[in-house]
Amino acid sequence: MTSTARVMWPARTVTTALAAAAIPAAGWAAHSIVWHRRLAEASRDKLTGALRREAWEPRIQWFIDRYGDNALVLIGDVDHFKSFNDDFGHHVGDLVLKSTAARLMAWAGRNGIVGRMGGDGGDEFVACAWVGAGRRHIRLDQLNHALSQPIPTSDGMVDIAVSIGAAAPDIIGTRDRSLLQRAADTAMYAGKHGGQPVLATRAHADVVSVNGRRPGRIGTHAGPEAA
């Protein structure tokens, strides 16, 4: 019968060895946390905290696929944005953008999505939120009210207005993000400076597009952009 020798390690030695093995694991865990944090920060616009295009496009499509007809796609455009920079300075223009993004995020909720369109300098936002069919007009009115509240600055209160267009899959007849976004964009333009949000119909979705957007939008080379 063969006997096996058993080596008895001192308890202190075992503890030291386990601690030494845990150090690399802890290091990798900390590195992973930092990496994910930096990745999350890179996906967001530094000024407003809204998602960048490469982040919000796939997330909105995922949201629509998951929630179907209860997914409401929205486009919001700050009215006369250039005047904030010209009349009050770029610091006020930045504050207007940050406040608009924050109000959109509060409205969309924790599971909603808010992105900034047009890259740095853009005054237009896209959002997607869970909104039941029977509450669309109510929720859009709530958002319109929130976005139209004056913004406090170091020089006093500044009035603001944001034109809003929204599109729902069951009304437009599609769950394609780009088509819903175009319909919302067209609805927003139809109600530009009108003070009331516009819920898109199929007529808005059928508008002729250039480069995937309605004529007159940035990148279409088909006319001036509405302020």
Side-chain angles (χ1 to χ4, degrees), residues 5-213:
R6 178 177 298 176
V7 179
M8 300 298 293
W9 293 94
R12 181 178 297 177
T13 301
V14 173
T15 301
T16 302
L18 291 174
I23 291 174
W28 277 110
H31 175 76
S32 178
I33 292 173
V34 171
W35 183 80
H36 280 92
R37 185 177 298 161
R38 289 178 178 175
L39 187 63
E41 290 174 353
S43 69
R44 293 189 176 276
D45 171 62
K46 290 183 179 180
L47 175 64
T48 65
L51 291 170
R52 295 177 180 272
R53 178 178 292 274
E54 60 270 19
W56 62 254
E57 280 189 342
R59 294 188 194 189
I60 287 181
Q61 186 59 65
W62 173 88
F63 194 98
I64 297 168
D65 292 339
R66 179 171 184 179
Y67 296 109
D69 293 344
N70 290 318
L72 189 66
V73 177
L74 179 145
I75 299 291
D77 185 49
V78 180
D79 292 345
H80 305 297
F81 176 70
K82 188 175 182 295
S83 65
F84 291 108
N85 291 329
D86 293 344
D87 298 342
F88 304 103
H90 286 275
H91 66 289
V92 172
D94 288 348
L95 184 59
V96 167
L97 292 174
K98 289 190 286 188
S99 298
T100 300
R103 292 169 178 181
L104 278 167
M105 292 176 192
W107 175 84
R110 186 177 64 179
N111 295 324
I113 300 165
V114 176
R116 188 178 181 186
M117 302 180 69
D120 294 340
D123 61 319
E124 196 171 30
F125 296 88
V126 59
C128 190
W130 194 101
V131 180
R135 291 182 53 80
R136 287 169 185 157
H137 290 287
I138 293 175
R139 294 283 284 128
L140 286 174
D141 286 341
Q142 290 172 343
L143 176 60
N144 190 50
H145 176 75
L147 291 176
S148 63
Q149 296 305 301
I151 295 175
T153 73
S154 58
D155 299 320
M157 305 298 286
V158 172
D159 290 328
I160 180 177
V162 180
S163 294
I164 304 168
D170 58 327
I171 296 178
I172 305 304
T174 182
R175 293 187 179 182
D176 180 88
R177 176 202 56 80
S178 62
L179 296 177
L180 289 167
Q181 184 180 322
R182 189 203 310 168
D185 180 70
T186 305
M188 180 275 293
Y189 182 71
K192 191 68 176 169
H193 307 311
Q196 294 297 321
V198 178
L199 184 61
T201 65
R202 292 200 179 191
H204 293 110
D206 292 336
V207 69
V208 176
S209 67
V210 179
N211 298 339
R213 307 196 74 187

